[in-house]
Each structure stands twice: as structure tokens, then as C-alpha cells.
Amino acid sequence: MEAARGEGDELIADYVDCLMSLDTNARFIQNGDLILGAPVVEAGLAASVGCIMEQDAMQDFAPPEAPKEPMLGMTFESDEAAKTFYNEYARCLGFPFRVGRSRRSKGADEVAVMKRFVCSREGMYTKKNPSSGEATKKRERMSMREGCNAMMEVVRESNHWVVSKLETAHNHDLGTCSRVGYLRATYLLDGSDKITMMGSDRMPFPRQNVLGEGGDAQGLLDYLKKMQASDPAFFHAIQVDKNSCPMNVFWVDARAKLAYQHFGDAVTFDTTYKKNKYMMPFVTFSGVNHHLQPVMFGCALLTEETEYSFVWLFETWLTAMSGKEPCPLVTDQNRAMKTAIGKVFPHTYHRFCKWHILSRTKQKLAHTYSEHPTLRDELESCVIRSETIDTFETTWMSILDTYDLRKNTWLQAIYNIRQKWVPLYQMDTFCAEISRAQKLETMNDFYKKYFGTKAMLEVFLTQFDLSIESRYEEETKADMDTSLNLVTTKTASPIEKQAARTYTKAVFSKFQEEFTESLGYIIRKTKDGCISKYNIIKDEDSSDMFFVTYNASTKMAKCSCKYFESSGILCRHILGVFLIVDPRLLPPDYFLMRWTRKARDDGLFEYNGDNHHEDVCESIASRYDALCADAIRCAEKGSGSETVYKAAKDILQKAYEEVIAYERNPVRVSQRDAININEDVMIDDTMTNQSLPDSGRKVTNLLGQFLSSSWSP
């Protein structure tokens, strides 16, 4: 089964592949064949792991002094190792390449058995004759192809890959292709050619430019103008290239900015568009709300994944979010992105997405997965379900031994950076993940859900906006469900009842799971006193032991599992101890506001006042944004039902009339106490021509009551 390489497999995915391959040093074996990606590993756990230098999987390849020439019969550990070698060879000589052909075995497994890497100028361009009924004349694109025969073909033999065909001569001049700008400036980069090429500075080629010639830049500008008209607090920015053409675009609406103030303690930067060859370069900032639902913090069209573009995007997003940095930021692996994050977010903990790495592992180990169907589940279980670091490391090494994978360079690479993506090594940092198996919808999931092939920008944005509106509706429904429907407790414990009154239904369900599990653990007290200590195990045969320290004076506890620090929900081990030492109620500090029913009610006005008190005296924009945030909060509360909507309209109308009165005569009004929406305020009856009607003379505490969760019409 032979087919041309897919477009999406030839750009950034290959760039990440090369970037993530740690072992680029070649060695010769007894028969003289060259082996790539197969380091010598001594026997024993300590020798195989402890003696491997802790390297960053994102580190640069050491540039060779001279390119290693490919040879017939050269042997590689895998097709990926062969591609890495040819990539370095192509970079040194100065020519881009692509996977020209590939072949898979027949049968259900369809394992790759042949790969041919060709110069990007291979083949000849054939001009297509337009159909007779074609009304519009399409712009004829320039082609790179000019019949170059340079290539290297590798075939699978047993457990390695061998160079079976080779042609090193090119029919064109070779040059230095160290920057993407070189190809773009000389019009050599054609969207129809699927190029896999990486310069010395490791800059990837752009996927597709939806804003350039043939794109829909004007349509996007019209969309931004429409959004600005409907949402005065809408924020957008455009980065242009040296020709003043739009290159990258960022935008965020008022609701997303407000959501970030409540749920921006954990942010994911989603670049999963790279998994879909049809999808445009659309990236998002997102998080999770108090109902465990995805929530958006902004989005962008990013036509280039360069450090310059990422720095611009992150700085622009930070400006839109009033300078509030994310605590943890979860991304995929990308060198330019990593550097930009270090510059723009110096205090942010940068993590790699575990789902992205596990997905890449599935691709890297496709052949092994086909031979051993249980391997995938075993690896995921090791990463997600291991309860202690010791258990994870023991299980990981056991899997490597069972499937003879100790020499696999990809698994070595991701193990060396395990502190950046394995949850157990990140428990000190809050990540808003109540469950390690929690997986929210990505942009790639969204695209596959609504589009089967390439979509026009206007159609894509329309569907995206509808999807976001649907998310807000789902949040509103969840708010109403939490408010109107009681949750069912499984015990008579005051602690469980306290949590049921405090958390949203979705979060309480997770808490309830921890609480009921705590009843089945064995708890042994190992130290008495004001600060007591406990050992907790699941059963007598369990190898995982947890340690809880309880301070009787503060009624606070800490557990070695650090589940509360990472998720904001008490773990089963601490709950088990609380049932012994103080079975009444939990301290308020254990209820994070972001998980409670009042997550969106907490301190919005206080936030605006505290953070913008000095700025609003100098900036109209800051004052405007602060008031818009307050108005949006009123709108969110007021849209819950028709009755509440009518009440909100009446209250806001009265408040607006008070503002107009103050604007017309600030001197008289300032002689009284400052206006407070929680107090009765009377307009001076001596105001003659500017006096308000009776219905507007008094603003009661209705607005304050309306914004509180206890108000009801």
C-alpha cells in the first residue's frame, strides 16, 4: 500500500519530531553499519537511567562540523531516526526535503515498511487545465519542482531500517537555508509543496497564511469591526510584517477577560491545530470553570510559530488581561514558544501537555503498539494512575523491560523531561485538574466535530462563535441546576453536607468520591502532640503509603500526595484524618472560591477598585474596562430568567439615571457622601431643571442584593 505523505505530516509535526529526538550521535557497530538513536545502555536500573544525563528534550542539536554523507546499507533504529539524519544532512547542504513516498504492509496492522525522503524540487510541475465551466481565473502559483532526483529511501528489515536506494546529486544550486524568510522572500515556499525543512535556528515553516494573498484578511477585519461594535470592551491587536501586511491577529471579548479574572489560575495554550491538515493556524488560551467546563481566555490566528510571533502574542494577551500572568501555563513542545514564555512570563510555571506527549508516543511506537495491544494502556495507566513517584518509576522501568524498550530514544527523551509533563512531579503547583484523566475539548476536537475538510475563515469563525455561545449557555444551565436542585449525600457526615452546600454539583461529585474513598483507608497515628502525624494505606498489602501531618492549633493538615495543592480539593487521606480528629466541619481555607457556587460572585467590584484605583485617575481606557466588567457581571446575573431580567433592567435604569444626575451637577452631589450602591441615596430636591422623576430619585440597595446570590425577585 503506497501513498504520498499527508500534508499535515510534513510540516510542524516533523519539526517537533526532530526537536524531540535526544540522541543524535551516531555510532558504528561490528559490521560497520551506522546506527542512529541507539545509545549504549549498561545493564541495571541505575546504569540505564541514573547515568543518563538529565537533558532537556528541547535542546538544540549540536551542529556537525561536516555533514555525514548517507550511504547504501546504512542502518537506522527507526524511520524517524532516518528522517532525523536526512534532515541534518539536508540542512547542512542547504536544501529542503519532504517525504515523497511511503509504503505500508498489507493486512490489518498496516505497518510502515518503506519511506523515501526526496528533495523538495523532486518531480515536475504540471499545469492543470481549467474546466470549461470554471468561471473564475485562479492565480497561478510558482512551483519549486524542477525534476531533481536526489533522495534517500529506507526499508524495514526485521527490527531496523536500511538505506536501499540513494541519489546524492542535485540538478540545482544548493544554498544556505538558515531562515524561513529566505524561502519566503525568494518566493520558493509554495503552499502546494509539503516541505520538511528546519534552519540552523530551528524556525519552522508557516503552515498556511490565511491572511496573505489569496486569504481573507478583509473578512477578518470586518469580523473584528463587528465584534467591536457589539462589545465595547472587545480587545484585538494585529501584528504586521515589514510590508505592513497582517501577519498575526489576537482578539478577546469582555466575557473572556472577566472569566480570566475568576478562573485564570491555570491556563492552557492550545496549538492542536497542527494535528489537522485542514485546519488554519488558530490558537486559543483556555481554562476550566467551576463546573469543570472549558472556558475561553482569548484566541489568535498565528501564521508563524517563531519566537518573535510568540513574544508578540503573549505580550498582547498579557496586556488584555491587565498584566495578570498565569500561574501554570500548559503547552505542547516548541522551542520558540518555550523561549518566548521565559521572556514574557518569567514567573510562570511552564508545563507540557501530557495528552500531547502520549499522543506523540502513540505515533512513535506505532509498530510496537500493533505488536503489543496492551502497551498503550499500560503506559497511560503508569502516567495517569500511579499514586506515588516510586510507583511510577518502578512501573515505567517494568514496562521498558517487558517490551524491550530500554534503548528506545523517544521513551528516553520523554522520561528525561518527566518533571515537565508527568502529573506526579507537578503536585506542588495548582493546575485545576481534579482528575488526572480530565481531558477537555481541544481546537482539533472542535474542528473535527464541525468540519470534515478545509473551511473558509468566515465559516470557521461563525461556527466558533456559536460554539462559545453554547459553552456560556451550558455554564448558565449548570449554575441553575446547582442552585435549584439539591445534591444527594451518601452519609450523614456534617463534612459531606458542608461540601454539598458549598461546591458546585460537578465539583462536589469529585469531592464526594474522595470522601467515600477515605472511609476505606487504614490510618495509623505515628506521633502525638500539637502537631500529630499519620500513616495511611489502602490495605495491608498496599505498597503506596501516604503521610499526613495535622496541626491541632490551626486545624490544618498536609498530605504527602499533595492532591489539595494541585487540585484545590481535599484528598481522601486528609479527609480520613479529619474524620478522626475533628468530624464536624472543614476549615474555610479548604474551600477554594473558584470551585464554589459563588466563584463568579467573589470580589469583582473589589478587584476593580483595588487594582485600578490609581490607574483610573489617569486612563479613560482603564476606567472604561473596569465599568464594563461590572456591567457584564450584572448582565450575567440578569439573564438567568425573564423575571430576573426585568428586575435587572429596572435597577440598571435607575443606576444610570443617578450617573446622569451626577454628571450634570457633580458639585451638589459631591457635597453628600459618596454614592454607594448598597445605601439609600436621595437626589437633592432643590435641583430644579435637572431633577429626576420620582421613580429615579432613590437608588436602594436592590443592586447590591441583585448581585448577591441570596437575591430573588
Side-chain angles (χ1 to χ4, degrees):
M1 183 180 296
E2 192 169 298
R5 178 80 169 183
E7 181 177 350
D9 297 331
E10 296 305 322
L11 298 175
I12 300 175
D14 288 340
Y15 170 67
V16 177
D17 287 350
C18 297
L19 210 58
M20 290 298 296
S21 298
L22 280 178
D23 186 11
T24 58
N25 298 319
R27 65 181 178 87
F28 286 92
I29 57 177
Q30 292 181 353
N31 61 4
D33 290 338
L34 184 65
I35 298 291
L36 293 187
V40 177
V41 182
E42 299 179 9
L45 177 63
S48 62
V49 179
C51 295
I52 296 177
M53 182 183 296
E54 283 293 330
Q55 306 177 61
D56 186 351
M58 304 286 291
Q59 68 181 354
D60 288 316
F61 295 114
E65 297 180 359
K68 295 182 176 64
E69 292 286 340
M71 299 177 293
L72 285 172
M74 184 179 287
T75 306
F76 300 93
E77 182 191 47
S78 65
D79 59 330
E80 299 296 338
K83 181 191 292 184
T84 300
F85 169 80
Y86 202 69
N87 180 83
E88 186 65 17
Y89 170 72
R91 185 189 68 81
C92 292
L93 265 64
F95 70 91
F97 80 98
R98 66 179 188 273
V99 179
R101 303 183 75 179
S102 64
R103 185 167 63 246
R104 293 181 175 273
S105 62
K106 297 180 180 179
D109 294 339
E110 293 190 356
V111 178
V113 295
M114 185 274 284
K115 289 285 182 70
R116 180 182 297 173
F117 310 110
V118 302
C119 174
S120 62
R121 299 196 182 191
E122 179 266 351
M124 297 298 294
Y125 173 70
T126 303
K127 184 176 180 180
K128 297 181 179 180
N129 295 322
S131 60
S132 58
E134 188 173 6
T136 44
K137 183 178 180 181
K138 295 184 178 179
R139 177 175 61 90
E140 183 176 347
R141 296 178 179 271
M142 296 183 64
S143 174
M144 298 178 63
R145 307 196 180 195
E146 49 187 77
C148 182
N149 294 322
M151 63 88 184
M152 183 181 80
E153 181 178 297
V154 292
V155 296
R156 180 191 294 274
E157 290 186 4
S158 184
N159 61 347
H160 59 273
W161 290 69
V162 180
V163 177
S164 60
K165 295 181 182 180
L166 179 66
E167 176 59 61
T168 59
H170 295 260
N171 67 348
H172 55 88
D173 293 333
L174 302 178
T176 302
C177 299
S178 61
R179 287 193 174 272
V180 176
Y182 170 80
L183 292 178
R184 188 183 302 108
T186 53
Y187 301 98
L188 293 179
L189 185 60
D190 189 321
S192 62
D193 287 315
K194 300 174 283 295
I195 303 171
T196 301
M197 179 63 191
M198 184 168 57
S200 59
D201 53 3
R202 301 298 184 259
M203 294 172 63
F205 287 107
R207 178 185 180 84
Q208 67 181 79
N209 189 356
V210 295
L211 304 178
E213 186 176 356
D216 192 16
Q218 186 59 52
L220 179 61
L221 295 177
D222 292 341
Y223 168 81
L224 297 175
K225 186 185 298 184
K226 180 186 71 174
M227 295 296 290
Q228 185 75 64
S230 62
D231 179 3
F234 181 79
F235 178 98
H236 70 277
I238 301 175
Q239 184 185 34
V240 299
D241 59 17
K242 61 182 180 181
N243 297 319
S244 298
C245 296
M247 184 169 62
N248 300 313
V249 182
F250 167 80
W251 66 93
V252 58
D253 63 16
R255 289 186 295 184
K257 289 194 287 184
L258 183 60
Y260 182 71
Q261 303 307 327
H262 297 296
F263 309 116
D265 45 11
V267 178
T268 296
F269 182 56
D270 185 351
T271 56
T272 54
Y273 74 86
K274 293 181 289 187
K275 293 183 178 182
N276 194 317
K277 65 181 179 180
Y278 295 117
M279 188 175 171
M280 59 197 65
F282 187 79
V283 299
T284 61
F285 297 88
S286 61
V288 60
N289 67 11
H290 53 321
H291 298 293
L292 306 183
Q293 300 166 332
V295 60
M296 196 64 60
F297 301 142
C299 48
L301 280 168
L302 198 66
T303 60
E304 287 188 348
E305 287 199 357
T306 62
E307 180 185 334
Y308 178 69
S309 292
F310 280 125
V311 167
W312 174 85
L313 175 60
F314 293 150
E315 287 180 344
T316 303
W317 180 72
L318 193 61
T319 299
M321 297 305 172
S322 304
K324 179 183 176 182
E325 289 188 26
C327 180
L329 180 62
V330 182
T331 72
D332 66 1
Q333 302 107 314
N334 181 291
R335 184 186 312 283
M337 185 194 306
K338 179 183 178 183
T339 304
I341 289 173
K343 290 181 178 180
V344 182
F345 306 127
H347 307 297
T348 293
Y349 179 64
H350 182 203
R351 301 171 50 196
F352 297 147
C353 175
K354 62 178 180 290
W355 299 114
H356 171 80
I357 291 182
L358 289 173
S359 175
R360 299 294 296 137
T361 302
K362 178 183 176 182
Q363 299 175 31
K364 293 286 188 177
L365 303 181
H367 179 63
T368 308
Y369 275 10
S370 65
E371 293 180 345
H372 307 283
T374 61
L375 175 58
R376 177 183 177 183
D377 291 337
E378 289 182 41
L379 279 175
E380 288 194 6
S381 178
C382 175
V383 172
I384 296 171
R385 305 192 186 283
S386 294
E387 293 190 343
T388 65
I389 291 178
D390 289 341
T391 300
F392 165 78
E393 304 235 353
T394 302
T395 306
W396 183 273
M397 293 305 162
S398 175
I399 292 173
L400 297 187
D401 289 336
T402 301
Y403 298 100
D404 192 23
L405 294 171
R406 281 186 177 264
K407 295 183 180 181
N408 184 277
T409 53
W410 170 258
L411 292 179
Q412 287 178 12
I414 62 176
Y415 179 82
N416 287 341
I417 59 167
R418 59 194 180 281
Q419 289 85 1
K420 300 287 285 184
W421 67 278
V422 177
L424 282 170
Y425 293 92
Q426 304 166 345
M427 300 301 284
D428 287 320
T429 305
F430 180 78
C431 61
E433 266 189 6
I434 291 183
S435 169
R436 291 177 192 160
Q438 176 179 323
K439 188 176 182 181
L440 300 177
E441 182 184 61
T442 65
M443 285 311 302
N444 182 45
D445 297 330
F446 162 79
Y447 200 91
K448 289 190 296 185
K449 181 178 179 181
Y450 292 105
F451 304 103
T453 58
K454 185 180 295 185
M456 296 296 293
L457 180 60
E458 180 182 1
V459 176
F460 173 82
L461 292 177
T462 300
Q463 186 58 59
F464 177 74
D465 287 343
L466 291 174
S467 178
I468 296 300
E469 287 298 327
S470 177
R471 287 185 181 182
Y472 286 123
E473 290 180 7
E474 290 298 320
E475 181 177 342
T476 301
K477 290 178 182 178
D479 282 336
M480 297 295 290
D481 184 36
T482 296
S483 300
L484 301 177
N485 300 319
L486 297 177
V487 295
T488 303
T489 57
K490 296 182 178 180
T491 70
S493 169
I495 290 179
E496 188 184 10
K497 293 179 179 179
Q498 177 191 19
R501 294 191 304 268
T502 307
Y503 288 129
T504 61
K505 292 183 71 173
V507 176
F508 174 72
S509 176
K510 300 295 183 181
F511 175 89
Q512 191 176 56
E513 179 182 338
E514 292 295 316
F515 184 79
T516 53
E517 285 291 328
S518 71
L519 303 176
Y521 275 71
I522 300 173
I523 302 175
R524 294 191 177 97
K525 193 173 188 178
T526 59
K527 181 181 178 182
D528 280 317
C530 181
I531 299 179
S532 53
K533 295 183 178 180
Y534 300 83
N535 292 350
I536 296 98
I537 56 176
K538 177 65 175 177
D539 51 56
E540 295 292 350
D541 298 327
S542 176
S543 59
D544 293 330
M545 180 177 291
F546 303 91
F547 309 95
V548 173
T549 302
Y550 176 72
N551 190 323
S553 60
T554 61
K555 295 186 176 181
M556 300 294 287
K558 288 189 176 182
C559 181
S560 60
C561 76
K562 299 182 180 179
Y563 180 67
F564 176 75
E565 286 82 353
S566 65
S567 69
I569 300 292
L570 274 180
C571 66
R572 58 194 64 180
H573 317 115
I574 291 180
L575 288 171
V577 171
F578 269 118
L579 289 176
I580 296 175
V581 299
D582 190 7
R584 290 167 295 177
L585 296 175
L586 294 176
D589 291 343
Y590 282 124
F591 294 98
L592 265 65
M593 182 62 70
R594 63 115 56 234
W595 292 134
T596 68
R597 298 162 179 250
K598 297 183 179 181
R600 283 190 176 270
D601 298 338
D602 180 53
L604 176 59
F605 289 139
E606 288 80 355
Y607 168 80
N608 288 335
D610 294 344
N611 291 276
H612 297 276
H613 180 70
E614 297 180 0
D615 294 341
V616 295
C617 298
E618 303 175 358
S619 170
I620 294 178
S622 296
R623 296 194 294 267
Y624 185 86
D625 285 345
L627 291 173
C628 281
D630 295 342
I632 291 169
R633 184 184 176 195
C634 295
E636 288 180 339
K637 281 288 185 181
S639 60
S641 68
E642 185 177 352
T643 305
V644 179
Y645 167 76
K646 292 179 179 179
K649 288 285 287 183
D650 182 59
I651 294 169
L652 289 174
Q653 179 63 32
K654 293 176 181 178
Y656 177 75
E657 290 170 353
E658 285 288 346
V659 172
I660 295 300
Y662 193 89
E663 181 185 41
R664 290 176 178 175
N665 200 334
V667 177
R668 285 189 176 274
V669 181
S670 64
Q671 292 174 356
R672 306 190 315 271
D673 293 335
I675 292 181
N676 187 328
I677 64 171
N678 291 317
E679 297 177 356
D680 291 353
V681 180
M682 299 296 296
I683 301 298
D684 195 338
D685 289 335
T686 59
M687 296 172 61
T688 54
N689 296 332
Q690 299 162 356
S691 62
L692 299 175
D694 291 341
S695 61
R697 290 182 178 180
K698 185 178 182 180
V699 176
T700 67
N701 62 354
L702 284 176
L703 185 56
Q705 293 176 355
F706 164 67
L707 290 175
S708 70
S709 59
S710 61
W711 185 88
S712 61

